[in-house]
Amino acid sequence: MRLNVLIDEVLRAMAESAAKRGGPVPAVTPAELAARVRAVLDEAGGALPDSGTGPLEAVSAITSLLVYGSADPADPACAAHLHCPPLPEAVAADLAVSALNPSLDSWDQAPAAVTLERELVTALAGLTRFDPGRASGTVTTGGSESNLMGLMLARDRAPAGRRRVFCSQGAHFSIQRAAALLGLDGVEPIATDATHRMDPASLAAALTGCERAGDVPVAVVATAGTTDTGAVDPLAEIADVASAHGVWLHVDAAHGGGALLSDRLAPLVRGIERADSVGIDLHKFGWVPAAAGVFLVRDAGAMAGLETRAAYLNPADDVAEGYDGLLGQSLRTTRRADCAKILVVLRSLGRRGLGELVDRCHDLALRAADLIVADPELELVAPPVLSTVVFRYRDGDEVNAALRRRLLRQGRAVVGRTELDGRVCLKLTLLNPETDVASLLSAVVMAGREESR
Ligand SMILES: Cc1ncc(COP(=O)(O)O)c(C=O)c1O
């Protein structure tokens, strides 16, 4: 069957099923939705039927189910996670990547995509204010993989001993996971100030203590845009401390890397150019469908340890003639050309256009904070830095938790949840410039009243 017929069916099923959902999420319980999913699969004989139903029915059934049962990040009442509504040009370009299936590990599977990714990395290194002639990097699946790569490169240059990593209490859990995977001997949480930023004096004291104990400080991880509050650690001061101790500095800018696109917010990430490695996710601020992470190193030599020779992928004589892929840039072998959809967005909007979207999300967060402060039934817990607002309905933890589930069950709103200082909080993570923050907050207040009764 021709691809265009199937694409027409996807678009039709998307429109029909989004209308059936009628809101940011379907108004069902998790058990009801799971039963519906199983029923649709059972209509065809299960997830792996003996005989297939054919392409049109399969595309129609699975797409309809997926779309009906989605949390739609483009809906103005969906604002829970760092989960952006992708731009249509990125989605469209990604179709060609799926159809041609280029794999970046060897030149003969992805002749143009290999250069597209190299150019993307150079451009983003320039945005980060690394020297693009010295820097290097790779497209990753996102912040978790970028954090793993940053810590791996740091580990590989560290001397033997008890090897420890330092990051703020607000750092993403993938740092812990990466350290465990890499056989490191622990991650030390550094105290934060009242605005949830890492305290450089506490970092310096911890590094000195580590050295006095005869241990090896492997890496400092600073966060530009924490998951919970969007706090940006003081990067320049942290770079001073890391360099005074000769320790690798990785900046997890999965979210806050977007500030580099905005003239207004770029000063927040001053000092990022002094990092040894940086991770930025274009599937957060970037409006590219996941996965669209980018890992950068200030000095290309740091990635030399990843170089791999495989007779079937990059024999030396092919490489000498220019037939070289990107095997030596990544931990993965088969690797999708996620660079294409990112480059489409960068070309379509340019840095200025993307910066305007970042600014609009930041403005929305400021407006949401003003509305929260003005509403006696709400309490602002963490004012916005980037585009995250943390707040509470003025009642106990149980009411805050229950009102969020009520909104999901009713299909009315998707609001985030976290815990700060031991209290359950609600969170708006604003990556959609079209989010209706006033209606979202009044839905929260109404659900809070209903749950408090
Ligand atoms: C600060 C930070 N780092 C890393 C990650 C992990 O990113 P990913 O889910 O793309 O692996 C997240 C996810 O939200 C994040 O907020």
Side-chain angles (χ1 to χ4, degrees), residues 82 141-145 147 172 174 223-227 252 254-255 281 283-284:
L82 286 164
T141 50
S144 305
E145 187 184 346
N147 288 339
H172 191 255
S174 56
T223 308
T226 60
T227 317
D252 176 353
H255 180 198
D281 284 353
H283 56 251
K284 296 186 169 79

Side-chain angles (χ1 to χ4, degrees), residues 37 52 111 148 161 176 202 218 259 264 271 280 373 377 381 390 418 446:
V37 169
L148 176 66
Q176 284 279 356
S202 301
V218 166
R264 191 205 301 173
I280 299 175
V373 168
E377 288 179 84
V381 177
V390 184
T418 191
M446 269 159 62

Side-chain angles (χ1 to χ4, degrees), residues 251-268:
V251 176
D252 176 353
H255 180 198
L260 291 163
L261 298 161
S262 148
D263 292 337
R264 191 205 301 173
L265 296 180
L268 280 174

Side-chain angles (χ1 to χ4, degrees), residues 2-299:
R2 289 169 64 91
L3 182 58
N4 59 343
V5 175
L6 296 172
I7 291 170
D8 285 346
E9 177 54 23
V10 167
L11 296 174
R12 189 205 61 75
M14 282 181 72
E16 183 185 88
S17 304
K20 224 179 262 175
R21 179 183 355 101
V25 272
V28 287
T29 64
E32 284 163 354
L33 187 58
R36 187 158 178 161
V37 169
R38 285 191 207 100
V40 171
L41 293 176
D42 286 348
E43 281 165 14
L48 176 58
D50 279 339
S51 312
T53 61
L56 194 63
E57 191 283 340
V59 161
S60 179
I62 301 292
T63 306
S64 300
L65 188 58
L66 176 86
V67 173
Y68 169 75
S70 280
D72 181 0
D75 189 286
C78 188
H81 294 283
L82 286 164
H83 174 210
C84 71
L87 289 162
E89 54 268 53
V91 176
D94 211 28
L95 179 64
V97 174
S98 285
L100 287 161
N101 209 14
S103 179
L104 293 162
D105 46 322
S106 68
W107 191 94
D108 58 0
Q109 297 175 90
V114 160
T115 306
L116 284 173
E117 177 165 308
R118 287 198 179 108
E119 293 299 318
L120 171 66
V121 164
T122 302
L124 292 182
L127 181 72
T128 308
R129 297 189 299 274
F130 283 166
D131 171 357
R134 266 185 74 198
S136 186
T138 186
V139 173
T140 65
T141 50
S144 305
E145 187 184 346
S146 297
N147 288 339
L148 176 66
M149 290 191 77
L151 288 189
M152 186 186 71
L153 300 188
R155 178 199 64 179
D156 291 348
R157 73 192 265 288
R162 257 180 58 79
R163 294 168 302 179
R164 288 158 61 185
V165 172
F166 300 81
C167 61
S168 90
Q169 290 163 348
H172 191 255
F173 62 78
S174 56
I175 301 297
Q176 284 279 356
R177 278 190 169 173
L181 206 59
L182 294 165
L184 299 173
D185 296 299
V187 177
E188 189 154 329
I190 304 296
T192 48
D193 64 16
T195 58
H196 309 281
R197 294 158 28 109
M198 192 198 291
D199 173 36
S202 301
L203 172 66
L207 288 173
T208 303
C210 174
E211 287 155 354
R212 286 214 182 109
D215 292 351
V216 179
V218 166
V220 170
V221 180
T223 308
T226 60
T227 317
D228 274 346
T229 66
V232 179
D233 288 338
L235 302 182
E237 288 92 324
I238 289 171
D240 287 342
V241 175
S243 81
H245 289 263
V247 180
W248 182 278
L249 174 61
H250 173 72
V251 176
D252 176 353
H255 180 198
L260 291 163
L261 298 161
S262 148
D263 292 337
R264 191 205 301 173
L265 296 180
L268 280 174
V269 290
R270 191 179 58 84
I272 195 170
E273 68 284 356
R274 293 175 59 198
D276 295 288
S277 57
V278 172
I280 299 175
D281 284 353
L282 281 302
H283 56 251
K284 296 186 169 79
F285 273 146
W287 298 278
V288 178
V294 177
F295 174 73
L296 301 166
V297 288
R298 184 158 42 85
D299 182 351

